[in-house]
Amino acid sequence: DTIASIGGLNISLYKNLFSLFSNQLDLSYVGIKDLHMHIITKEGNTNSNIQNFLDKLIGNADKNPSDKSLLFNIRKVELSDIHISIRDENKGKEQIVYLKGGSMDIELLDIECKDFVVNQIILDNPKFEAITFGDVCVEPVVLTVEQIQEDLTDMVSEASLSLILNELIIQNGYVG
């Protein structure tokens, strides 16, 4: 199963490759054309194929806490002909996203601290579809107040991030 395929990838460095020795990668431009991405969570699994790939690639258990992480900066991203499908066989749902074109002007991208400042996002002809399939009748689970409070605390601590988006432009969008 193919997770992703890209028809064209164009990258322009802001600084030279020697900056990688100081754990820094500055890209002034990333262009992606004709991207097809298929994210699937198979029935009975909790992680998607992309999460499994990233876990194998990064190897969280092998990381030494004293290792300095890579500082990664991107200034401009341009996208054209983007197709993404997200299928969860456990929930019986598939989401399909298509984008004819778009761009992002990024001021700050701090992955480690989860701080993001985006000056502008332009989406040209985005389309979103949600499909339900199969028989997904699930027994409701009754949780105590303590369990709900613990789950919410875990979600907030894991997902806390800062995103500032100054301008979002959507041209000819469709949700169906």
Side-chain angles (χ1 to χ4, degrees):
D1 290 327
T2 302
I3 295 175
S5 67
I6 298 176
L9 178 63
N10 190 355
I11 297 175
S12 178
L13 294 173
Y14 184 72
K15 294 183 179 178
N16 63 32
L17 283 176
F18 292 111
S19 64
L20 283 174
F21 293 120
S22 59
N23 289 339
Q24 188 172 353
L25 179 60
D26 284 312
L27 303 174
S28 59
Y29 174 82
V30 174
I32 299 173
K33 183 177 182 178
D34 197 24
L35 169 72
H36 291 267
M37 181 174 277
H38 306 283
I39 302 170
I40 300 170
T41 303
K42 295 283 188 182
E43 189 171 356
N45 293 339
T46 56
N47 288 342
S48 68
N49 58 346
I50 199 161
Q51 183 63 50
N52 291 335
F53 173 76
L54 291 174
D55 287 347
K56 289 178 184 176
L57 183 68
I58 296 170
N60 292 336
D62 299 337
K63 187 170 181 175
N64 184 352
S66 65
D67 288 347
K68 187 177 176 187
S69 62
L70 178 68
L71 179 61
F72 185 66
N73 290 314
I74 302 176
R75 306 233 190 293
K76 179 87 172 169
V77 176
E78 288 188 351
L79 306 168
S80 65
D81 293 323
I82 306 300
H83 305 263
I84 301 172
S85 68
I86 305 167
R87 182 178 179 96
D88 189 334
E89 293 179 354
N90 294 310
K91 295 179 181 177
K93 294 185 180 185
E94 182 168 12
Q95 299 166 339
I96 301 169
V97 179
Y98 169 75
L99 179 65
K100 181 179 180 183
S103 65
M104 278 189 282
D105 178 21
I106 302 167
E107 185 173 317
L108 173 69
L109 181 69
D110 188 338
I111 296 172
E112 188 172 345
C113 294
K114 298 180 185 173
D115 288 330
F116 308 96
V117 178
V118 180
N119 291 325
Q120 183 183 64
I121 296 177
I122 299 173
L123 303 176
D124 181 23
N125 200 13
K127 294 181 182 174
F128 176 80
E129 285 184 60
I131 301 166
T132 303
F133 61 89
D135 186 21
V136 288
C137 188
V138 179
E139 292 274 330
V141 177
V142 178
L143 299 175
T144 66
V145 173
E146 293 80 16
Q147 288 172 315
I148 293 171
Q149 185 176 10
E150 184 178 312
D151 287 350
L152 286 174
T153 303
D154 290 345
M155 285 190 323
V156 168
S157 65
E158 290 175 9
S160 74
L161 61 87
S162 170
L163 171 65
I164 297 172
L165 175 59
N166 293 321
E167 185 176 17
L168 173 63
I169 300 169
I170 300 175
Q171 302 165 329
N172 303 317
Y174 171 79
V175 176

